[in-house]
Amino acid sequence: GALQLRAAKAPIAAFEIAVFPAGERQAEAPTTAAANDYRLFVLKAGRYDIRRGPGDANAPQDTHWLLDVEVPADRTRLKQIDAS
């Protein structure tokens, strides 16, 4: 499967994005493709947690999580990251 992430209000390239197997924070999944308006992760089917942090290291309090996102085996899951 695959997970495509897009930002709602700003280029997603402005944010630090990380994807982890659900409940884990050790093994970050690598980004397969990145552009100004999306990130694509090719993943095994399963559930994942997504961390969206600011591109600015001076604002760690702006880190947000999307938890337990299902990635199906046979298609791409599109999730919109709230960029506000």
Side-chain angles (χ1 to χ4, degrees):
L3 175 64
Q4 183 181 32
L5 303 174
R6 291 185 173 266
K9 300 177 184 172
I12 200 166
F15 300 97
E16 181 183 317
I17 305 291
V19 176
F20 302 89
E24 297 182 23
R25 300 294 183 266
Q26 301 296 325
E28 184 177 326
T31 302
T32 303
N36 196 41
D37 61 344
Y38 73 90
R39 299 271 174 86
L40 181 70
F41 298 84
V42 176
L43 304 164
K44 287 183 175 182
R47 297 192 173 277
Y48 293 87
D49 295 338
I50 303 165
R51 182 184 69 210
R52 186 208 52 119
D56 180 3
N58 295 323
Q61 68 277 11
D62 287 337
T63 297
H64 298 279
W65 288 88
L66 284 171
L67 301 176
D68 204 30
V69 175
E70 181 184 358
V71 174
D74 58 348
R75 62 180 189 257
T76 300
R77 169 79 61 215
L78 173 63
K79 290 299 282 184
Q80 184 170 310
I81 300 293
D82 183 8
S84 60

